[in-house]
Amino acid sequence: QVQLVESGGGLVQAGDSLRLSCAASGRTFSSYAMAWFRQAPGKEREFQAAICWSGARTYYATSTQGRFTISRDNAKNTVYLQMNRLKPEDTAAYYCAADMSVSRRTYYQSTGACPRIGAQYDTWGQGTQVAVSS
């Protein structure tokens, strides 16, 4: 079973940067679509960013406002979320997710897209906390 472990969260001030990391134990990491979601207190979990299997295509939620960048290093079995110019409203638990469904992967690869909703991801990490003060 693939395990995802997030790290890199912490307490920062508005305008600061953080880089979140998600380390995967899977043997076929390069074949997984990967994504980041976040859930703030009292809020629903929301999509932040996704990166496709090849790494050539990425997707972002409008809430990132051009401040976040998702990337992956397949040699290290790691996906990253670089977060710049953080705002207090970015305060949340951030979760890494992987889509390991073969059928869904095949479908999305045929379209050149990536899954972008939580229900389309079947493996999740435990989360890392990000708190941004004003």
Side-chain angles (χ1 to χ4, degrees), residues 72-86:
R72 65 194 299 164
D73 186 339
N74 291 334
K76 297 181 179 179
N77 277 18
T78 303
V79 63
Y80 305 96
L81 185 67
Q82 178 67 45
M83 304 186 293
N84 298 325
R85 303 188 303 281
L86 284 162

Side-chain angles (χ1 to χ4, degrees), residues 1-13:
Q1 181 177 336
V2 173
Q3 302 290 326
L4 304 178
V5 180
E6 302 97 332
S7 63
L11 301 173
V12 298
Q13 294 183 323

